[in-house]
Amino acid sequence: MNPANYLYLAALLFTIGAAGVLIRRNAIVVFMCVELMLNACNLAFVTFSRLHGNLDGQVIAFFTMVVAAAEVVVGLAIIVSIYRSRHSASVDDANLMKL
Amino acid sequence: MSFPILTVTAAVPAVGAVVTAAVPAARRSAARLTALAFSVATLVLALVTMARFDTGGARYQFTETHTWVKNFGLHYDLGVDGIGVVMVALTALLIPFVMLAGWHDADPLEDVNPNRRWRPTQGFFALILLVEAMVVLSFEATDVFLFYIFFEAMLIPMYFLIGGFGDRAHPGGEEEAARQRSYAAVKFLLYNLAGGLIMLAAVIALYAATAKQLGTGTFSLQEILDARAAGRLHLVTSTERWIFLGFFFAFAVKAPLWPLHTWLPNAMGESTAPVAVLITAVVDKVGTFAMLRFCLQLFPEASKWATPVILVLAVISIIYGALLAVGQRDIKRLIAYASVSHFGFIILGIFAMTSQGQSGATLYMVNHGISTAALMLVAGFLISRRGSRLIADFGGVQKVAPVLAGTFLVGGLATLSLPGLAPFVSEFLVLVGTFSRYPVLGIIATLGIVLAALYVLVLYQRTMTGPVKAGVEGLSDLKARELLVVAPLIALLLFLGVYPKPVTDIVNPSVGHTLSDVHKTDPKPALEAKK
Amino acid sequence: MDTLIGLLVAAPLLGAGILLTGGRRLDRAGHLLGTLLALTSFVLAAVLFADMLGKDTGRRTLTSHLFTWVPVDGFQAQVGFQLDQLSMTFVLLITGVGTLIHIYSIGYMEHDERRRRFFGYLNLFLAAMLLLVLADNYFLLYAGWEGVGLASYLLIGFWQHKPSAATAAKKAFLVNRVGDIGLSVAIMLLFTTFGSFAFSDVFPKVGQASATQHATVTGIGFMLLLAACGKSAQVPLQSWLGDAMEGPTPVSALIHAATMVTAGVYLITRSGAIFNAAPDAQTAVVTVGAVTLIFGAIVGCAKDDIKKALAGSTMSQIGYMIMAAGLGPIGYVFAIMHLVTHGFFKAGLFLGAGSVMHGMNDEVDMRKFGGLRKYMPITFVTFGLGYLAIIGFPGLSGFFSKDKIIEAAFAKGGTEGWILGTCALIGAAITAFYMTRVMLMTFFGEERWKDGRTATASPDEPSAEPAAAHSAHGAPHPHESPSSMTIPMIILAFGSVFAGGLFSINSAFVKWLEPVTGHSEGDSPVSTGTVTAGTMVVLVLGVLVAWLMYGRRPVPAVAPKGSLLTRAARRDLLQDDFNHVVLVRGGEHLTRSLVYLDHSLVDGVVNGTAASVGGLSGRLRRLQNGYVRSYAVSMLGGTAVVVAATLLMRAV
């Protein structure tokens, strides 16, 4: 099977994820879309690893998974605490990062 | 390896700053005494360095060289020539007096703050020591980048000293005082950072230029000078001029030279008198000193190229500063503008490129430091007694506080360069040095002595003489601690006014070196006197 | 002997140091210490004088080198003294009159709580003045020059609580500083031309100057003249002297009559070698002298304040000296001779005036005096002798010295000689007039102080002495002053009478000074006899006119309006008004507008830059809205742009 197809799939997944981040309001969904983008990248890495015949891409994919896991922990904690204080999980209700 | 006395001289106040800052909140007097002890120790070290300086010896002495970051040509290079050793001694000399004068300046008005970690007194003295360490290192550094670091780093403690410990006597009330203070502090910081940033660009450009021609880039003054002497390094004229301008701009802001002076009156006006002394007598001297050490040595041709413009700006500074001083209504701003005028003299002397001019300028830095300290500190005592710094609020002080008035007059007379007091010697040397090469500028600068008499005597007349004004009746005369600040300074002014030889002997050979860097010799008199 | 020269200066300097830093402990004995040290100086001077007389004429100069003051390459300023006949003359005058005035001040300042400080300042003055005349180079002379200026400033403003005194002191210092520019520029010119400013290096070389350097030498001459004008109150820098009378009277006698104001004459005489080589500068000197001698005399005629009248007279007499000094070798000796005799009689006159004021509740307005000769006989006699001396009454000091100057002026020859001689004669006539006026208004006529209202000082001529303010009640009771005051007056009166005659026996003074200043007779178009006769005629004329105006008919207690000239002369011939309008007002406007410009323009540029940066960042801040999704869009957009740019670059 042509490895390029995996790359097309990765691009498709990434686009879906990016569109989700931009369009959806619910923080949980936005979060899941971010994960989708990360995994799209992982797929691309693994594909390239296969194409180039070395393990670099696969190693980086593992790194990404670890970072993603850590991110999930922090991100979910923030979302939960925002939900507790504001009773909403919509990203448009929170603009605390403004100067 | 010999004892690294230069590093130690700078390290003592730095350690002192840490120790002072660590003193518990309630033990304010312990903090004060600790800081004073460290500053006195620094003074002793500085005096030892000066005493052991061999006037007939090498140009730079007590040198220490350590490679810092090899790949970038960074060195920890210290060394002092005659000018540097004198400036270090001046700094170390003034700091104890600044501390004594500001003994209670930073004390909280009442002990209501429940926060036990709130300790302004400790902070004040620690910051002063920190400034001292930075200034001493910038006088000692012979690596351009090392110098740059300290040149910029001293802004930070100064910023907090100006903004955090302002003058409590403001005509516009407490809120206005706070507003003005933070304005002054920010202005000071931005002005000097802007100058520093341009200098940083110039420093990097210098590195790039050396890297291109020598193969490996370097910041070391000595390496650059050696390479140039050996003919391996020759900066392209336009490059040299641009880099020179970058350096000079930073120093001219710090000095300050007209028209870059406007931060000084704000900074000196809003800070307490000891901090104002720290600004004008210590920190600003780094600017004029660096012109002598870096501008002239690194860029002799560009210096000569820029001389006419710089001299004109210096003369404008002299006259303009003096005229502005006459028009001031605030004692401290008056002294600030007087300093602008005096810095004009110093820069004039440096760029007149004669031995009288440059020795005079170096001596001027020392004398201006002492005389302004005397005048400003007495003014500070006066202001804190009356709670106002407007000239119009005073009158007849002489009647109620004769000693204060007397010392104020001596400080004023030193500022107007009366013979017998130290500044006269240096001012006359600068004028003679300028006159022998540029007669017209010399004569215009001489007008400055009349204007100096005008602003000093008008200030004295309005504050000290005449009938006793309401609000002045109860003023007390100088206390013992205050007299301890003023009397040694006055004694020093008298001594250096009558016998400046100890200083000139150290300075003269270094000035000779600097002049030979720029390939200038004194003009010969038409009819040489036979000795 | 050499070391004594240093001690000469050191003694009063020590006194000043002790008295000014000693604090209240010395209040009781301070004045005695000051007087003792002044006397020490005088004794040392006398010893040196005796020593000098014992030597050959050619080898009388003593030098003493103490230490190097400022050594920078070619610029070598030494602290060294040179005592020759010229310096010796001054040293004796300064220490002699100085000691007498110290003694006088013990009585005069008895009730002043700051007497110790007064004596400290007097000692400081003596030290500085001695330094001035003993210095062996111009740089050290400059130090003394400014030192006397400082002492003068401190003493004029001694009663600092009076705004007028403080203003007068400041004015004196400032005007002197303008003159000081002259001296500093002269020193710089000397240094750049000759490589030195020591008398012994410069004077022998002046003659070798080439044509272009001649212009420089002339320039040096002009600059020295400017300096002399400031210190000696010569036109156009004369305006401070009248105001300086705000100081205590002993100060006026010592500093503003006998010694300090004559420093300009010393400077010009000392620099004789330079002036001899610069005829243009000499012309300027005589012009200044001639103008001032008339100017001062006219001012002296119109003043009702006894001290200001005497101040006008001082200006005029110094004008004579400056003129004589400008005549070159014909006049140097007579300039100094007149200086010495003037030192005696003018100090005597001032002390007499002080004594009168002391007895009259510190009143200074002569219109409120009159008929005092009965009440103060000693003052009257000593003042009278001084008066006769200054108008040049035959046989007294002023006669010999002033006559010689008038002769010398004629001896200059040519049109210049005639003009100068005529000026000098007119001056002599006016001198006789105003001094007779002072004499008549003070000691003769009706007793105008008796009618009660006189004790208060008139508002337009405020009293110089502050005591007038608190003793304004009741009519004054004129009385003779204590002996500490009258004895110095008597001694000075002796000097006024005999000094001139003594100096002229066998031309003693000419022979004494000739080795230093040189002397030539000149050739006069008129004989000595004619000049003397002329002087006598104008003298009688002046006295007669004064008697007709003030002796024959009663003097009004309130000054009449007077002619235009009188009114102008009362205002110092409008010099002050000119200064005020042009310099003071102009300066105020200049500084005020500069303060405004500094704030709005120079600082404005900086603040404007800061404000525009602030405005820009305010706009940029709106992009930062806090919504995560808008950040995400910009990130995505940014990435897209970067990728597109990369691809584009690769394609090209």
Side-chain angles (χ1 to χ4, degrees):
Chain A
M1 198 173 158
N2 187 0
N5 290 337
Y6 294 100
L7 288 183
Y8 291 132
L9 178 61
L12 189 67
L13 286 174
F14 189 88
T15 313
I16 292 169
V21 167
L22 294 180
I23 292 166
R24 300 303 294 264
R25 287 213 181 87
N26 190 317
I28 305 281
V29 178
V30 169
F31 207 73
M32 283 161 64
C33 291
V34 170
E35 292 299 317
L36 197 57
M37 287 159 77
L38 284 169
N39 282 319
C41 293
N42 278 346
L43 183 57
F45 274 125
V46 174
T47 310
F48 283 124
S49 175
R50 167 90 186 173
L51 275 175
H52 294 294
N54 63 15
L55 288 177
D56 290 3
Q58 298 188 28
V59 170
I60 290 179
F62 280 115
F63 270 112
T64 312
M65 283 176 205
V66 173
V67 171
E71 194 195 313
V72 166
V73 173
V74 177
L76 278 178
I78 292 174
I79 291 169
V80 167
S81 79
I82 286 181
Y83 182 78
R84 278 194 185 151
S85 62
R86 308 201 159 213
H87 302 291
S88 151
S90 166
V91 284
D92 285 2
D93 286 347
N95 60 349
L96 296 171
M97 281 172 70
K98 198 163 121 177
L99 260 172
Chain B
M1 203 182 106
S2 60
F3 181 66
I5 192 163
L6 294 185
T7 303
V8 175
T9 313
V12 166
V15 171
V18 176
V19 173
T20 308
V23 174
R27 323 244 345 232
R28 280 197 288 276
S29 48
R32 283 192 281 261
L33 288 172
T34 313
L36 187 64
F38 273 100
S39 71
V40 170
T42 316
L43 174 59
V44 171
L45 282 167
L47 291 179
V48 168
T49 318
M50 195 156 100
R52 287 182 44 207
F53 187 83
D54 177 9
T55 50
R59 178 171 189 179
Y60 286 101
Q61 299 182 18
F62 311 107
T63 48
E64 298 168 27
T65 303
H66 303 283
T67 304
W68 180 14
V69 182
K70 200 169 177 200
N71 289 352
F72 296 123
L74 288 183
H75 302 270
Y76 178 79
D77 274 7
L78 300 185
V80 283
D81 58 356
I83 302 170
V85 79
V86 168
M87 296 314 296
V88 170
L90 170 75
T91 308
L93 174 82
L94 288 177
I95 298 292
F97 292 112
V98 165
M99 287 184 175
L100 272 176
W103 208 237
H104 295 292
D105 275 9
D107 289 356
L109 287 177
E110 58 242 9
D111 268 321
V112 289
N113 198 315
N115 186 350
R116 295 183 56 89
R117 297 174 66 183
W118 189 62
R119 35 188 178 184
T121 310
Q122 281 83 340
F124 184 69
F125 285 95
L127 285 171
I128 292 177
L129 282 171
L130 207 56
V131 171
E132 179 177 20
M134 309 271 188
V135 171
V136 166
L137 278 168
S138 21
F139 287 138
E140 292 174 349
T142 51
D143 182 276
V144 178
F145 198 80
L146 194 69
F147 169 81
Y148 171 78
I149 291 174
F150 298 121
F151 183 77
E152 287 291 271
M154 74 177 81
L155 297 178
I156 296 159
M158 276 320 299
Y159 170 78
F160 287 112
L161 280 171
I162 298 169
F165 302 91
D167 194 347
R168 284 168 184 163
H170 194 277
E174 210 145 296
E175 242 169 70
E176 178 66 10
R179 213 177 63 74
Q180 287 295 329
R181 195 188 310 148
S182 71
Y183 171 72
V186 169
K187 195 169 178 180
F188 164 82
L189 193 68
L190 287 185
Y191 241 116
N192 283 286
L193 277 181
L197 206 63
I198 291 175
M199 183 183 165
L200 179 63
V203 169
I204 293 169
L206 179 68
Y207 177 80
T210 55
K212 203 165 153 192
Q213 294 193 17
L214 299 178
T216 54
T218 180
F219 290 111
S220 159
L221 187 64
Q222 199 58 52
E223 279 179 26
I224 294 175
L225 291 185
D226 287 345
R228 197 177 59 209
R232 287 185 292 133
L233 180 67
H234 181 78
L235 294 179
V236 183
T237 311
S238 62
T239 317
E240 185 187 350
R241 287 177 184 173
W242 279 111
I243 302 179
F244 166 83
L245 285 180
F247 276 73
F248 185 78
F249 183 79
F251 304 150
V253 168
K254 184 88 75 175
L257 181 68
W258 185 89
L260 304 170
H261 64 278
T262 52
W263 62 270
L264 186 70
N266 286 95
M268 281 177 73
E270 302 308 326
S271 50
T272 60
V275 175
V277 170
L278 209 57
I279 297 171
T280 187
V282 177
V283 171
D284 284 358
K285 294 296 180 323
V286 180
T288 45
F289 167 82
M291 288 180 196
L292 263 174
R293 175 169 281 178
F294 294 106
C295 284
L296 294 192
Q297 292 191 23
L298 288 173
F299 319 107
E301 296 308 317
S303 300
K304 280 192 268 187
W305 163 73
T307 294
V309 177
I310 295 173
L311 288 177
V312 169
L313 288 179
V315 170
I316 293 178
S317 279
I318 294 171
I319 304 293
Y320 186 89
L323 282 174
L324 267 278
V326 175
Q328 294 303 312
R329 284 174 292 180
D330 174 327
I331 298 175
K332 286 204 289 189
R333 289 180 67 95
L334 189 152
I335 299 175
Y337 277 107
S339 283
V340 171
S341 178
H342 288 141
F343 278 110
F345 274 108
I346 297 175
I347 296 171
L348 187 68
I350 292 174
F351 282 90
M353 311 264 189
T354 53
S355 51
Q356 288 84 33
Q358 295 194 344
S359 287
T362 309
L363 209 55
Y364 210 123
M365 291 190 235
V366 177
N367 296 338
H368 171 259
I370 303 171
S371 70
T372 306
L375 184 65
M376 191 59 162
L377 293 178
V378 178
F381 300 148
L382 184 68
I383 289 166
S384 63
R385 279 170 167 68
R386 173 73 176 78
S388 164
R389 55 187 212 233
L390 291 184
I391 297 172
D393 284 344
F394 294 92
V397 175
Q398 196 277 330
K399 191 92 179 161
V400 289
V403 179
L404 193 156
T407 50
F408 191 70
L409 182 62
V410 177
L413 291 173
T415 303
L416 64 78
S417 298
L418 193 84
L421 296 168
F424 166 72
V425 176
S426 43
E427 190 161 305
F428 203 89
L429 280 174
V430 167
L431 288 174
V432 161
T434 311
F435 186 85
S436 59
R437 189 159 275 145
Y438 309 96
V440 177
L441 288 177
I443 290 174
I444 299 174
T446 311
L447 294 180
I449 68 170
V450 177
L451 294 172
L454 186 62
Y455 62 70
V456 168
L457 295 184
V458 167
L459 174 65
Y460 183 79
Q461 186 194 350
R462 297 211 179 128
T463 52
M464 299 295 169
T465 68
V468 179
K469 269 217 174 143
V472 175
E473 312 93 341
L475 295 198
S476 56
D477 215 331
L478 289 187
K479 292 192 284 271
R481 170 179 61 84
E482 294 166 333
L483 213 54
L484 188 65
V485 174
V486 182
L489 290 176
I490 288 178
L492 209 59
L493 283 174
L494 279 167
F495 175 74
L496 287 179
V498 178
Y499 198 61
K501 202 163 173 290
V503 181
T504 51
D505 280 351
I506 296 180
V507 169
N508 283 340
S510 299
V511 165
H513 285 301
T514 312
L515 281 178
S516 67
D517 280 339
V518 290
H519 314 294
K520 285 268 187 182
T521 48
D522 289 347
K524 282 272 167 273
L527 288 166
E528 183 72 64
K530 286 182 197 72
K531 284 281 171 283
Chain C
M1 274 298 146
D2 309 1
T3 47
L4 287 187
I5 308 177
L7 288 179
L8 209 56
V9 182
L13 194 63
L14 178 75
I18 294 177
L19 292 177
L20 293 178
T21 56
R24 298 241 160 79
R25 278 155 294 180
L26 290 171
D27 272 355
R28 279 180 40 219
H31 52 283
L32 295 177
L33 180 74
T35 313
L36 190 71
L37 284 166
L39 188 66
T40 312
S41 223
F42 178 64
V43 171
L44 286 172
V47 170
L48 284 164
F49 180 57
D51 177 65
M52 189 178 273
L53 283 181
K55 287 185 188 163
D56 285 348
T57 328
R59 296 194 291 118
R60 280 178 168 169
T61 306
L62 276 179
T63 54
S64 144
H65 178 256
L66 290 189
F67 59 91
T68 303
W69 183 11
V70 187
V72 176
D73 225 48
F75 189 95
Q76 296 286 335
Q78 311 290 338
V79 176
F81 299 126
Q82 169 185 339
L83 183 71
D84 56 11
Q85 290 91 325
L86 180 61
S87 307
M88 194 70 235
T89 313
F90 270 89
V91 168
L92 286 173
L93 177 74
I94 295 160
T95 53
V97 176
T99 308
L100 289 177
I101 282 171
H102 272 77
I103 297 171
Y104 179 90
S105 306
I106 294 178
Y108 191 85
M109 300 298 286
E110 197 173 354
H111 304 295
D112 197 299
E113 53 176 358
R114 293 163 68 232
R115 181 164 66 163
R116 167 181 60 86
R117 198 174 298 192
F118 180 79
F119 277 84
Y121 293 160
L122 276 187
N123 272 353
L124 178 68
F125 168 75
L126 281 189
M129 189 72 200
L130 288 171
L131 188 67
L132 197 165
V133 298
L134 285 170
D136 76 346
N137 63 69
Y138 281 101
F139 197 65
L140 190 62
L141 182 146
Y142 187 45
W145 189 266
E146 289 258 332
V148 292
L150 170 68
S152 159
Y153 167 78
L154 293 169
L155 285 165
I156 295 171
F158 185 71
W159 287 312
Q160 293 184 324
H161 49 88
K162 279 191 344 176
S164 58
T167 309
K170 181 188 70 185
K171 182 174 175 186
F173 197 96
L174 283 178
V175 176
N176 268 298
R177 268 263 154 153
V178 175
D180 293 346
I181 290 185
L183 192 50
S184 14
V185 174
I187 295 174
M188 294 181 216
L189 276 170
L190 284 169
F191 175 69
T192 51
T193 319
F194 300 103
S196 167
F197 32 77
F199 298 151
S200 55
D201 290 336
V202 172
F203 295 152
K205 293 196 172 288
V206 176
Q208 305 168 11
S210 64
T212 44
Q213 287 152 2
H214 235 92
T216 317
V217 173
T218 307
I220 296 173
F222 272 103
M223 287 297 123
L224 290 173
L225 173 63
L226 178 63
C229 284
K231 198 58 77 188
S232 292
Q234 300 293 295
V235 176
L237 297 178
Q238 86 293 2
S239 68
W240 63 274
L241 188 62
D243 293 354
M245 295 301 130
E246 289 284 345
T249 310
V251 172
S252 313
L254 177 61
I255 300 185
H256 305 119
T259 55
M260 185 190 87
V261 284
T262 59
V265 183
Y266 172 79
L267 184 70
I268 291 177
T269 312
R270 176 57 83 195
S271 315
I274 293 171
F275 281 97
N276 291 344
D280 291 342
Q282 277 188 322
T283 311
V285 174
V286 289
T287 312
V288 165
V291 169
T292 313
L293 83 87
I294 305 273
F295 185 104
I298 293 175
V299 171
C301 292
K303 292 285 184 186
D304 288 333
D305 178 329
I306 184 169
K307 284 177 76 180
K308 291 199 171 168
L310 289 176
S313 156
T314 305
M315 257 157 68
S316 161
Q317 298 299 315
I318 296 173
Y320 272 107
M321 299 172 210
I322 293 276
M323 187 180 83
L327 293 172
I330 316 172
Y332 290 135
V333 175
F334 302 126
I336 302 299
M337 182 161 145
H338 192 54
L339 192 155
V340 175
T341 56
H342 174 259
F344 284 120
F345 56 68
K346 186 53 69 60
L349 286 169
F350 264 110
L351 294 190
S355 174
V356 169
M357 287 151 55
H358 197 71
M360 295 291 288
N361 288 350
D362 293 320
E363 178 58 63
V364 289
D365 189 354
M366 291 190 290
R367 293 190 185 274
K368 288 159 192 162
F369 293 163
L372 293 175
R373 65 181 186 282
K374 281 176 286 188
Y375 300 93
M376 335 182 147
I378 302 177
T379 306
F380 169 63
V381 172
T382 54
F383 196 93
L385 288 173
Y387 154 72
L388 290 176
I390 193 174
I391 63 170
F393 193 80
L396 273 70
S397 287
F399 169 75
F400 292 103
S401 53
K402 199 193 287 181
D403 218 37
K404 287 288 186 192
I405 291 183
I406 299 173
E407 277 172 34
F410 279 113
K412 179 77 179 171
T415 327
E416 200 186 342
W418 279 104
I419 295 172
L420 295 175
T422 316
C423 279
L425 275 179
I426 295 173
I430 309 180
T431 307
F433 170 80
Y434 68 72
M435 283 313 297
T436 312
R437 174 173 173 270
V438 168
M439 198 67 195
L440 291 173
M441 285 173 83
T442 308
F443 292 102
F444 294 88
E446 11 172 316
E447 299 168 353
R448 292 181 299 276
W449 38 271
K450 273 197 168 160
D451 51 351
R453 68 197 159 87
T454 51
T456 48
S458 57
D460 52 322
E461 284 280 343
S463 153
E465 317 286 304
H470 48 77
S471 60
H473 45 79
H477 304 285
H479 55 85
E480 190 53 87
S481 301
S483 56
S484 70
M485 290 169 68
T486 50
I487 290 171
M489 286 155 60
I490 295 168
I491 297 175
L492 286 172
F494 268 98
S496 322
V497 176
F498 300 114
L502 211 63
F503 291 161
S504 298
I505 297 172
N506 215 355
S507 307
F509 202 77
V510 176
K511 284 180 186 156
W512 163 251
L513 273 186
E514 203 181 346
V516 183
T517 59
H519 185 65
S520 72
E521 286 298 331
D523 74 303
S524 179
V526 284
S527 70
T528 320
T530 323
V531 173
T532 312
T535 330
M536 284 306 108
V537 171
V538 296
L539 164 69
V540 173
L541 215 66
V543 173
L544 203 66
V545 173
W547 182 76
L548 287 174
M549 285 176 69
Y550 297 95
R552 213 172 47 139
R553 48 173 195 243
V555 181
V558 177
K561 196 156 172 254
S563 67
L564 207 62
L565 180 65
T566 318
R567 271 180 285 157
R570 277 189 197 137
R571 301 182 65 90
D572 299 323
L573 292 179
L574 304 181
Q575 156 93 30
D576 269 347
D577 302 72
F578 174 81
N579 282 352
H580 190 77
V581 171
V582 177
L583 298 177
V584 179
R585 284 278 170 76
E588 274 174 8
H589 283 299
L590 179 67
T591 54
R592 221 171 284 161
S593 43
L594 274 183
V595 169
Y596 176 75
L597 271 185
D598 192 57
H599 187 73
S600 59
L601 192 71
V602 183
D603 207 17
V605 171
V606 177
N607 281 342
T609 315
S612 54
V613 171
L616 188 66
S617 49
R619 302 250 156 69
L620 286 176
R621 201 174 72 171
R622 295 209 193 124
L623 291 179
Q624 194 94 353
N625 58 10
Y627 293 108
V628 178
R629 292 196 301 160
S630 81
Y631 295 164
V633 171
S634 44
M635 277 159 75
L636 191 72
T639 319
V641 169
V642 168
V643 169
T646 318
L647 291 177
L648 209 66
M649 293 301 274
R650 201 175 276 177
V652 172

